[in-house]
């Protein structure tokens, strides 16, 4: 295990996750991360569930482009600090490389999970509903995956099982107490 995050869309939240491949953002080789998406609340098309392009995980590394139609897209630090713009990411898969008509919704009830490959094209719309949409991601890779520590100097792994015979990445210290 090497990462995780909460993904929350409050009611009437316009935050949009553009179509992308996770592996494009991570300096990891080979590209063999699986993401577990655990629904904390029901996640469906009405409240901005994850959408995927089935089979796209087999297409390899696709061209991504910067999203130039996002407000203040050129000044990412200001946008992040002030919360401007509706896009969560600043790149998207070039839309000429796939058809959005092929997209499938990943409807999940609270407590259910989906798994996806780091090359799968996926994204999500805003949440126009009156309900919250929230999930937790957990990211797993086999021990042969190596991080470019010159790009991610604080990267750590937490072995889930077995023995790491590669020793490519620093092992994180397992917490033993609450930090508060």
């Amino acid at each position: 295990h090497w990462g995780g995050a909460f993904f929350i869309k409050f009611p009437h939240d316009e935050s949009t996750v553009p179509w992308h491949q996770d592996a494009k953002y991570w300096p990891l080789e080979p590209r063999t991360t699986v993401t577990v998406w655990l629904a904390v609340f029901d996640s469906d098309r009405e409240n901005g569930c994850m959408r995927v392009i089935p089979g796209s995980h087999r297409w390899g590394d696709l061209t991504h482009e910067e999203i130039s139609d996002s407000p203040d897209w050129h000044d990412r630090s200001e946008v992040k600090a002030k919360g401007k713009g509706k896009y969560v990411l600043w790149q998207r898969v070039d839309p000429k490389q796939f058809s959005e008509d092929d997209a499938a919704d990943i409807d999940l009830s609270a407590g259910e999970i989906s798994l996806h490959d780091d090359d799968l094209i996926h994204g999500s719309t805003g949440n126009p509903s009156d309900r919250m949409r929230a999930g937790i991601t957990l990211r797993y890779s086999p021990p042969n995956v190596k991080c470019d520590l010159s790009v991610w100097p604080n990267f750590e792994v937490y072995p889930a099982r077995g023995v790491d015979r590669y020793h490519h990445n620093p092992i994180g210290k397992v917490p033993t107490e609450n930090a508060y």
Side-chain angles (χ1 to χ4, degrees), residues 2 20 42 44 53 61 64 68 93 116 137 141 148 153 158-159 171:
W2 61 262
H20 69 284
D42 292 349
D44 52 45
I53 303 298
D61 185 12
H64 285 59
S68 60
V93 173
H116 69 268
T137 59
S141 294
D148 181 345
Y158 297 85
I171 305 292

Side-chain angles (χ1 to χ4, degrees), residues 23-45:
K24 193 71 170 178
Y25 298 93
W26 303 331
L28 304 174
E29 286 295 332
R31 294 163 67 127
T32 54
T33 292
V34 64
T35 296
V36 178
W37 203 96
L38 169 64
V40 175
F41 295 102
D42 292 349
S43 176
D44 52 45
R45 187 167 198 163

Side-chain angles (χ1 to χ4, degrees), residues 39-67:
V40 175
F41 295 102
D42 292 349
S43 176
D44 52 45
R45 187 167 198 163
E46 184 181 298
N47 69 352
C49 69
M50 182 169 60
R51 305 184 76 212
V52 303
I53 303 298
S56 61
H57 65 288
R58 295 186 192 100
W59 301 351
D61 185 12
L62 299 177
T63 302
H64 285 59
E65 61 185 18
E66 288 207 12
I67 300 171

Side-chain angles (χ1 to χ4, degrees), residues 16-21 25 67 87-93 122-124:
T16 299
V17 179
W19 294 106
H20 69 284
Q21 295 173 300
Y25 298 93
I67 300 171
Y87 294 103
V88 175
L89 301 174
W90 299 101
Q91 295 184 83
R92 66 178 173 202
V93 173
H122 63 288
S124 64

